[in-house]
Amino acid sequence: LLSCRLYCEEAKDPKRRSCQTVLAEALDIVVRSFAPILPHLAEEVFQYIPYKKDSESVFRTGWINTSSAWKKPGIEEAIEGACAMRDSFLGSISGKNALEYEVIIVIEPGLLFELMEALQAEETSSVSQLNEIMMASQTTLLSEFPKETPSDANIIKGTFLINLEGGDICEQSSYKVIARPIAKAKCPRCRRYTAESSSTPCPRCLQVLAAGKGST
């Protein structure tokens, strides 16, 4: 999930930059948290942080205050729901490479479907947040079961309890995860099975490479 964003996206792509922001925030909190217990280690890590800091020492950074900007209603539930579906998918292909599969998620219209749409606006995507969580090469989000399903597809059923607003909003939703081998070739750059041939990068990587050439 992190490696794909960091190493495959364009340097200034918002998805890559947002990943770096989260990692920087996590590092800052972890280092400041263990500073009273491991002061020398914390100070050394702090001094080697490669971006601008407000203080010269970890012991002058003050108390840890989490910004309210990190708390977005529904995001936690969306991630937990997607992780539950991912676990269903991975359990159905135990021991196999998840990138060799495409996933179809079927959810009836409702709150759970809306939460998944927040992670993937397009019907089918290989670069959405939902697909990154699923760890597949491609994810399709549908509100109805597809009319044609290959005989080699695995169909997993599950439920997820949504709990919002401190329990004021509760909804038990069912979902189906269809996992089937993907028909595309492995991209030589990002290693996902999203290319037309094994010697040609996938459309996303071609776009990133073209943008990189244009900026040089």
Side-chain angles (χ1 to χ4, degrees):
L1 176 59
L2 295 180
S3 61
C4 187
R5 285 194 180 197
L6 290 173
Y7 299 116
C8 297
E9 299 292 352
E10 189 180 353
K12 296 183 179 180
D13 187 282
K15 286 185 289 186
R16 183 175 185 273
R17 297 293 290 155
S18 65
C19 181
Q20 290 177 311
T21 299
V22 171
L23 291 175
E25 185 74 10
L27 176 62
D28 178 71
I29 292 176
V30 169
V31 172
R32 291 163 65 187
S33 296
F34 69 64
I37 306 170
L38 300 169
H40 299 293
L41 176 61
E43 185 63 29
E44 183 176 2
V45 172
F46 187 82
Q47 294 302 326
Y48 277 94
I49 290 177
Y51 48 83
K52 185 178 179 180
K53 304 176 287 290
D54 295 331
S55 303
E56 295 181 357
S57 170
V58 67
F59 297 102
R60 295 184 179 275
T61 55
W63 294 104
I64 299 173
N65 295 312
T66 305
S67 172
S68 59
W70 292 96
K71 183 65 176 178
K72 294 184 178 180
I75 292 298
E76 182 177 352
E77 288 73 17
I79 299 297
E80 289 179 351
C83 287
M85 297 175 198
R86 178 197 62 197
D87 292 344
S88 297
F89 160 56
L90 295 178
S92 71
I93 61 163
S94 180
K96 298 180 181 178
N97 184 1
L99 290 175
E100 296 179 356
Y101 288 80
E102 63 175 314
V103 173
I104 301 173
I105 299 174
V106 184
I107 309 171
E108 293 184 358
L111 186 54
L112 182 58
F113 186 85
E114 293 175 4
L115 291 175
M116 293 305 105
E117 280 189 314
L119 301 177
Q120 178 169 302
E122 309 89 349
E123 182 177 284
T124 300
S125 178
S126 61
V127 297
S128 67
Q129 294 182 68
L130 179 58
N131 187 67
E132 289 181 345
I133 294 171
M134 296 302 295
M135 300 171 64
S137 278
Q138 179 176 286
T139 297
T140 299
L141 180 61
L142 301 175
S143 59
E144 296 180 351
F145 199 84
K147 295 181 180 179
E148 296 183 3
T149 303
S151 58
D152 59 347
N154 295 328
I155 303 176
I156 312 98
K157 299 180 181 179
T159 60
F160 182 73
L161 177 62
I162 301 170
N163 194 332
L164 293 172
E165 304 295 334
D168 292 338
I169 301 176
C170 289
E171 183 176 300
Q172 182 86 16
S173 300
S174 60
Y175 62 83
K176 296 182 180 71
V177 177
I178 305 171
R180 62 186 185 188
I182 195 163
K184 295 184 178 181
K186 181 192 286 187
C187 171
R189 182 173 180 270
C190 70
R191 304 298 180 182
R192 288 185 175 179
Y193 289 77
T194 51
E196 296 303 322
S197 72
S198 58
S199 60
T200 305
C202 67
R204 186 273 300 273
C205 287
L206 285 173
Q207 183 178 356
V208 173
L209 291 171
K213 290 180 180 179
S215 61
T216 57

